[in-house]
Amino acid sequence: MPKGKLVRKNRLFRQGKSNIESILKCSSEAYCCPICGGFKSIDELTLEHVPPKSMGGKEIILTCKACNNEAGSNIDLNIANQQNMIRISKSLASQKFNKPERAKVNIGGTEIKVEINKESDDKPLNISILGKCNNPDDIEKVKKYTREFAESGGSFSFKLQSTDRYNYNERLAKIGHLKTAFLVTVAALGYTFAFSKNLTKFRRQISAPSSQIVDFY
């Protein structure tokens, strides 16, 4: 582990240990994971990015490896895909692209995958067909369709839609945002907040994202 991360991990471990000692009124050699409530040694803990690293999160708290893996990889992926889908939707609506994006285009009833880019506001939207991602027959259909319109001097319209590459589970994304809100507040207020009886169901939901424990967030 890089020196900077190790220093941060040790500091957060000491802070958590001190916080739990003040609540239990006794000495403790372990850190209490704010999600599962288990007492862990420093080797059993990991630095947690809050919000997820894909959203620019910072390592502000420690959670145990089990909670970080179980409640992390699954819901973090859904949050990342949700944010990517929002970005692409905004780009398609405004026709302003900060970087090339992939999408689907329906031209003359044929759906193909494309890459969309716009280098600057004064340049037209550039749509490139992704050869390896499409059926060659579909590509030929689109070419024939557009050639016929070009030769006749007419114009045609097409429908853009976001690609399936960023599909996400909305419920898991919501649980991810719940986890972020929970950990941010625990980092600020400590274990008195974390283990409030009112939050028991929420901690269980974060620990087991595949289960339906709460139906509100």
Side-chain angles (χ1 to χ4, degrees), residues 9-216:
K9 185 177 182 181
N10 283 322
R11 176 176 56 81
L12 291 171
F13 181 83
R14 290 194 300 270
Q15 288 177 352
K17 189 168 76 72
S18 175
N19 186 206
I20 201 68
E21 285 177 345
S22 66
I23 294 174
L24 298 177
K25 307 299 182 184
C26 65
S27 178
S28 173
E29 294 303 319
Y31 175 102
C32 185
C33 175
I35 296 178
C36 69
F39 284 85
K40 307 291 181 179
S41 68
I42 193 169
D43 293 334
E44 298 175 287
L45 298 163
T46 59
L47 288 161
E48 179 91 38
H49 285 86
V50 184
K53 190 175 182 179
S54 61
M55 295 177 65
K58 304 297 182 182
E59 297 166 326
I60 64 171
I61 199 166
L62 300 178
T63 58
C64 71
K65 292 179 180 179
C67 285
N68 200 340
N69 292 334
E70 175 62 27
S73 58
N74 195 9
I75 59 181
D76 287 358
L77 175 62
N78 281 279
I79 290 180
N81 283 351
Q82 181 193 51
Q83 298 306 305
N84 284 322
M85 188 70 81
I86 291 172
R87 186 193 71 249
I88 291 176
S89 298
K90 288 181 177 179
S91 296
L92 291 175
S94 64
Q95 291 195 13
K96 293 182 179 179
F97 295 84
N98 295 324
K99 64 177 185 178
E101 298 283 6
R102 291 190 176 187
K104 291 179 182 178
V105 177
N106 191 304
I107 301 178
T110 301
E111 189 175 85
I112 57 172
K113 295 177 181 178
V114 299
E115 184 175 87
I116 307 170
N117 193 18
K118 192 174 185 180
E119 295 180 2
S120 61
D121 291 340
D122 60 340
K123 291 189 177 181
L125 197 66
N126 182 48
I127 301 177
S128 305
I129 296 175
L130 296 169
K132 294 182 179 180
C133 299
N134 291 288
N135 186 313
D137 292 338
D138 290 338
I139 294 176
E140 285 305 314
K141 288 179 183 178
V142 169
K143 286 182 177 180
K144 180 180 178 182
Y145 183 82
T146 54
R147 275 197 303 265
E148 290 175 352
F149 270 95
E151 291 170 358
S152 66
S155 61
F156 66 92
S157 60
F158 55 86
K159 183 178 180 181
L160 282 171
Q161 63 187 65
S162 56
T163 183
D164 294 337
R165 69 189 299 206
Y166 293 132
N167 278 350
Y168 67 94
N169 183 301
E170 185 175 359
R171 190 183 70 82
L172 291 179
K174 286 182 177 180
I175 294 174
H177 295 306
L178 173 67
K179 177 187 174 188
T180 291
F182 175 77
L183 291 178
V184 164
T185 315
V186 172
L189 302 181
Y191 290 116
T192 302
F193 170 83
F195 298 119
S196 165
K197 291 182 179 180
N198 295 329
L199 298 178
T200 300
K201 282 188 176 181
F202 291 103
R203 289 196 299 109
R204 286 175 52 212
Q205 181 65 86
I206 294 168
S207 296
S210 59
S211 302
Q212 180 72 56
I213 298 172
V214 297
D215 57 1
F216 57 93

